[in-house]
Amino acid sequence: MRKLSTILLGLILVSLASLLALSLWLGQPAQTITHRILFASSKALSQPYNQQLLAGLKASINPSDDIEIQTLALPENVDEQAALLSQQKLLTGDQVILHSTYSLELTSQLENWLKQEVKVSLIDSPKVQLSQASQLGWAPLEQGQALAQALKANSGTETPLILAYQAHNQESIKRLKGAQDVLDQSGQAYQTLALEGDKLENQQAMLRAVEALASKPAVVLLDQVSIQELARYLHQSLAIPDIYSIGYQPQVFSAIEAGDIRRNLTPNPYALGYAAGQTGQNQPDKASDVTTKLTYQWIEAQDLFNPQFASWLFPLE
């Protein structure tokens, strides 16, 4: 009888110990799994645009989440880009964000990541088309459409437009096509002007185009190579008051500050970075909403030092 009591007591003690261990285990905070976000860009990581994309990306992450952000500068050579990315060992649940990567050579590597349940977000990478990847930003064609739609709301159809684009530059040509699609439907009068590399030839071409019109035109600079010089010539030498542009370069804002460009349709890199982070958290609808509403904004001279835009018009400290 005593032996049986001892066995029962032992079983009870073992059960109590097991229950105590179980309760302690259940009471422990769940271990967080570290996920990695790899931000890779074919543009210099030190550029203000990239710094603000990264700031938006960081703002999208909940501080309580154990997420590590790594950055990678991609070389210009397509094959070197693909080779460098293939060396990155990403795991299920990780995310890769590519900015301004135009190579179709990367598609196979990205597809492999998608099969491994790595999330892929592409910012301003129109040539890399993957059905399961989140495509963020507007392609050049859409940029031209957005610019033309914004112009329609700000100038009457009586004002002739000159659409100046960079010859032999596919992005500039696509912006032109997007603007034409919108303007053709609205009945807006316009003419196109192909810009070349030579500064003097561009100025002479502008002069001929302006002189051929009965009234002062509004000039739309779809080219992002020589905006500042052309804007100064148009405004100061040809006395054109209405000069519009699209893009995100320091010389654009210098031209606005000097009064040579009236308005610029400016992308908001902070919002794009935020949207990229949101796509990695299985919130594509929210990310799409952020991107659509905040990607572009008209910027005029009085906006340059407006606190509302300061965080993404100028480099972050």
Side-chain angles (χ1 to χ4, degrees), residues 295-313:
T295 301
Y296 283 89
Q297 172 72 40
W298 272 126
I299 298 296
E300 304 180 39
Q302 65 266 25
D303 297 322
L304 289 177
F305 302 101
N306 184 334
Q308 180 182 354
F309 305 115
S311 66
W312 50 279
L313 286 181

Side-chain angles (χ1 to χ4, degrees), residues 147-163:
L147 181 58
Q149 287 166 352
L151 281 171
K152 276 173 48 183
N154 290 282
S155 60
T157 53
E158 300 303 316
T159 305
L161 296 178
I162 295 177
L163 305 179

